[in-house]
Each structure stands twice: as C-alpha cells, then as structure tokens.
Amino acid sequence: MAERNGRTVRDLRRGNRTAVLQKLYFDGPLSRFELGPATGLSSGSVSNVVADLVADGLVEEAGSVDSDGGRPRTLLRVAPDSGQMIGVDVGETRVRVELFDLALTELARTERRLAPQGYDAEVIAGHVRDGIAEVLRAGRAAPERLLGVGVGVPGIVEHTPDQGAVVHGQTIGWDAVPLERLLRSASQLADEIPYFIDNGAKTLGQAEMWFGAGRGARNAVVVLFGSGVGACVVTPEVENGRAVEWGHLTVRVRGRRCRCGAPGCLEAYAGAESLLARWREAGGRPPEGLDEETALTAMLAAAYPAGGAEADPVALGVLEETAEYLGAGLSDLINLFQPERILIGGWAGLQLGARFLPAVRRHATTYALRHPADKVTIDLGRLGPDAVTVGAAILPLADFFASGGRRPEPVTEDRLPAWRAALRQRAPR
C-alpha cells in the first residue's frame, strides 16, 4: 500500500529504522523516552522500531539511568558486533586493508607496500583481494555480518551500469580501469556484498567530518597530502563531500611538468614525490634506495636536525618554498569555497605536521582575500594514517543506515539517494 506522497509502508518502516539507528549511533546510548523527541517519532513507533532492531540483534541494552520519580530507564545502543565493514586505502605508496566492527573498532589489518610507479591495475586489485581475505581470516569475521567493502583510490571515480566503478587515475596511469570488476573477479566474497569505491581524498574527508576535526562544521575542506595532493570540499550544497582535483590547479605558468603531463600544477611543487625530486634537482642528496615515506623523513631530518647540528640549506629551502606553494594553493580553496575549516591529512601531511603548519597558515592568509581568510582555521586532521580506510569503511556503514539495518544486497540506482542522504549525517560537535 502506498501513501499519497508515493512512499510505501515498507519505505516508512525503513525510514523509521534508519532514524533510530543513526540517532543511537551518533548520540547514544539513549532511552526509548529520549528517542521520541530526538527522532520525531511517536512513542508507539519508537517501541515498535526498537523491538524490531533488538530482535534483529542490531540494538542492545547499555545500562540504565534514573528517571524523575519513576522506574529507571533502560539505555540502548547499536550493538558493535552486529556488523562488520572493510575499508581499503589504495594509496600511492601502499595498499592498506582494515576490518572494522560496527563501532569502527579495528579488528584486523594488513598492508602491501608498492614499488615506485608500481600501479599496475591487476596487481593492485590482487593486493586488495588478498588483503580482504587476510583480514577476514585474522579478524575471525562472520560472513553474514559483513556489510560491504569501501575502497579509496587516487583518481576520478565513475559509476557505470555494466562495469560498476571505473577509475580514471591519470597520475598513476589508470585510464578507465574497471576496478570493481577486477575486484569481483576471483573474489571469495558473496556476490551480494557491495563494493563502494570513491576518491581517497573524499573518503578522508568523510572520516574527518564524521569522527575527526571536521565534526560540527558545515563548510570544510579536507586536504590529502601524500605523494600528490587532493582535496574534498564539504558545503551545504555538497553535503556528502565532493573530491576536487586541487593538485592540478596551475600555480606557475610554464612551470615544472606535473606527472599528469601538464606544466605548472600545484602537485608538481607540493606533492611528496615532487618535493623529493626538487630537493635532488636543487643539488641535495636524498638517500638512495629508500621508499618515498622514508626519504621524506630523511629530508625533514636534514632540514631540521636534532642536537644543534647544521641544517641542510638546500632541504630547508625546498621545504620552505613548498610551504608557500601549499599556502597559495589553500588560498584558492579559501577564495573559492570560503570554508570554516581546512584540515590537512595524508601521510606526508602528517609527517610534516605541526612544524610545517605555521608557515602554511601564514602564506594561505597572505594570498587569500582578507574576509574569508579571517573566518577560516587551518589545522591537521585528527585521525592519523588510517583516516582513508576509516572513511572507506563509512561508505558501507552509510548504506547500512540507509537500508534501515537490512543485510547487504547489490547497489542499484534506486538505493543511491538514500545512501547519499545517510552520508550527509553529521556527528555533533
């Protein structure tokens, strides 16, 4: 039976379950009495929904609180072990795979380091498949509890009806790579387990907005600073975040050639890969045979030596110049989007950390318009190196909310609006 607005009774029940699950997840534990005004549902509807969720094993008791003159009220919470999600970070130096419970507590993890320029799509897909199998074994996962696999990737993601998620990653040599199809081939996961593939900067932004330094903000930009640079913009108009190819803004006409092929991109000056290359080009001596992350650590040690040793002027000069390029790039984001907050994450951003931040802030406000610059704060993200995998795991978690806690089924076009609405959920300040 359908209502006049086109919603069926089934839709209404699913929406009520979604409302209760999300409220308990972000604000719980709560009593049935508190859930009514918090969700806008009647006391009878709350009782029915809670009874269903408890029967399904999704909600459990979490103690009690005294009431005003009456019996103690039972508190409820989402049962952490009632679901599991896998988050995958396909980075440019490694592939990281983590298994989480419903409360996003890590149950197992594995990593596969990548050789320089080792971005063969078949190899990457093999790393992801093997990593998924490994964390499922190590975490003693229950197949019936797995809600889905979220994957953050470098590049633009396009969803097609015949091949699923297709990745355009020009900087790593991926041209319309059918990643979802590659992951499903030879996979041990059941066909109904959904894959959610999105840009890594966007999954980083999703994690920081739900659980990190973006909590409570309506306008924010989250920057992924790794081998290259990218950003996720969250505004009231784009509430579930939009990845922007910020690293490919032109910051210098006829400048250094970016790995995308264009001259003068921000990434040609501010990404860790180009930062190390510029150190070498300026006459520095980066240690040979080291991976990118270890080499950047060595560069920082050379520029800022401990114990009063003399700094390497070449390394220091390149880092200071990079801070200015990053600040100028952030000024573009400030002028274009006028965010409340800019958050910097990614492995290189975390390595450069607080030492780098004051100079970046100074240059950003110098290059930006005064009014929006006065209103923005620029800080580091709070979730550390696992932020992309946490954000990737949020993608199946949001689908779980959107479905009212129902078990996984293949993602179809008619389910996407509810999933996107669930992603827009904000944790309180």
Side-chain angles (χ1 to χ4, degrees):
M1 179 178 177
E3 296 183 325
R4 289 183 180 179
N5 62 5
R7 296 183 70 198
T8 65
V9 172
R10 181 181 178 184
D11 293 333
L12 183 62
R13 288 174 178 167
R14 182 174 60 239
N16 290 348
R17 285 170 62 102
T18 294
V20 170
L21 280 171
Q22 287 187 323
K23 186 54 64 173
L24 287 176
Y25 191 86
F26 288 106
D27 299 332
L30 297 169
S31 67
R32 291 172 177 81
F33 179 80
E34 293 170 308
L35 278 170
T39 60
L41 300 177
S42 68
S43 59
S45 294
V46 167
S47 295
N48 290 336
V49 170
V50 167
D52 285 346
L53 294 174
V54 170
D56 290 345
L58 300 178
V59 166
E60 62 186 15
E61 295 185 0
S64 62
V65 292
D66 293 334
S67 62
D68 296 333
R71 292 185 303 172
R73 292 182 181 136
T74 300
L75 295 176
L76 303 167
R77 68 173 184 176
V78 175
D81 61 353
S82 61
Q84 295 174 341
M85 302 84 65
I86 291 175
V88 181
D89 176 7
V90 177
E92 296 176 327
T93 61
R94 69 184 71 206
V95 173
R96 177 181 285 128
V97 183
E98 296 185 60
L99 175 69
F100 300 92
D101 69 10
L102 208 59
L104 285 171
T105 301
E106 180 190 303
L107 304 177
R109 73 156 60 205
T110 187
E111 290 186 356
R112 304 287 194 278
R113 282 192 172 271
L114 301 178
Q117 310 304 318
Y119 308 133
D120 179 271
E122 292 278 2
V123 173
I124 295 289
H127 286 329
V128 174
R129 288 195 302 266
D130 293 344
I132 289 172
E134 185 175 330
V135 297
L136 289 175
R137 288 194 303 270
R140 298 182 177 86
E144 69 277 6
R145 293 181 184 172
L146 185 61
L147 303 179
V149 178
V151 186
V153 297
I156 298 169
V157 180
E158 176 186 17
H159 295 275
T160 66
D162 54 337
Q163 300 197 83
V166 173
V167 182
H168 305 270
Q170 189 168 324
T171 58
I172 60 171
W174 285 16
D175 183 14
V177 169
L179 184 60
E180 183 173 347
R181 181 170 59 79
L182 292 177
L183 293 178
R184 288 193 179 279
S185 67
S187 172
Q188 298 178 13
L189 297 181
D191 290 342
E192 66 269 16
I193 299 298
Y195 286 82
F196 300 89
I197 300 172
D198 214 332
N199 176 270
K202 187 173 175 182
T203 67
L204 170 68
Q206 191 71 58
E208 290 288 350
M209 294 304 292
W210 272 29
F211 301 112
R215 286 166 61 98
R218 296 186 71 237
N219 299 273
V221 175
V222 184
V223 170
L224 177 58
F225 181 14
S227 298
V229 291
C232 173
V233 176
V234 181
T235 68
E237 294 77 25
V238 193
E239 289 187 300
N240 62 327
R242 177 179 179 180
V244 292
E245 292 296 329
W246 174 59
H248 302 288
L249 290 176
T250 302
V251 294
R252 190 165 182 174
V253 176
R254 294 186 293 275
R256 292 182 81 250
R257 184 72 58 179
C258 179
R259 55 185 181 162
C260 76
C265 292
L266 174 63
E267 192 165 291
Y269 296 91
E273 181 180 302
S274 61
L275 198 161
L276 292 166
R278 286 168 48 231
W279 184 24
R280 187 178 299 108
E281 292 164 7
R285 297 182 179 179
E288 298 295 331
L290 298 181
D291 63 82
E292 206 169 85
E293 295 183 31
T294 309
L296 183 58
T297 301
M299 184 180 188
L300 285 168
Y304 307 105
E310 186 176 348
D312 176 345
V314 177
L316 183 60
V318 171
L319 283 169
E320 289 177 342
E321 185 182 49
T322 300
E324 184 165 7
Y325 275 114
L326 270 176
L330 293 181
S331 75
D332 290 333
L333 297 175
I334 293 169
N335 291 341
L336 286 169
F337 301 108
Q338 301 181 28
E340 300 168 48
R341 304 176 198 174
I342 293 178
L343 307 172
I344 300 174
W347 67 264
L350 295 172
Q351 278 204 38
L352 294 171
R355 183 186 297 278
F356 213 51
L357 205 54
V360 171
R361 286 189 185 118
R362 184 174 66 254
H363 291 304
T365 54
T366 297
Y367 284 102
L369 293 170
R370 187 183 310 112
H371 181 69
D374 287 344
K375 295 180 176 295
V376 70
T377 60
I378 302 174
D379 290 298
L380 297 176
R382 294 179 186 165
L383 298 181
D386 295 337
V388 174
T389 48
V390 170
I394 285 174
L395 302 179
L397 177 60
D399 183 63
F400 170 78
F401 288 146
S403 66
R406 301 301 183 189
R407 289 298 143 190
E409 57 188 40
V411 179
T412 56
E413 284 294 324
D414 63 325
R415 288 177 57 205
L416 290 179
W419 175 69
R420 293 188 180 106
L423 280 175
R424 289 196 294 270
Q425 172 69 42
R426 291 285 186 273
R429 291 180 185 271

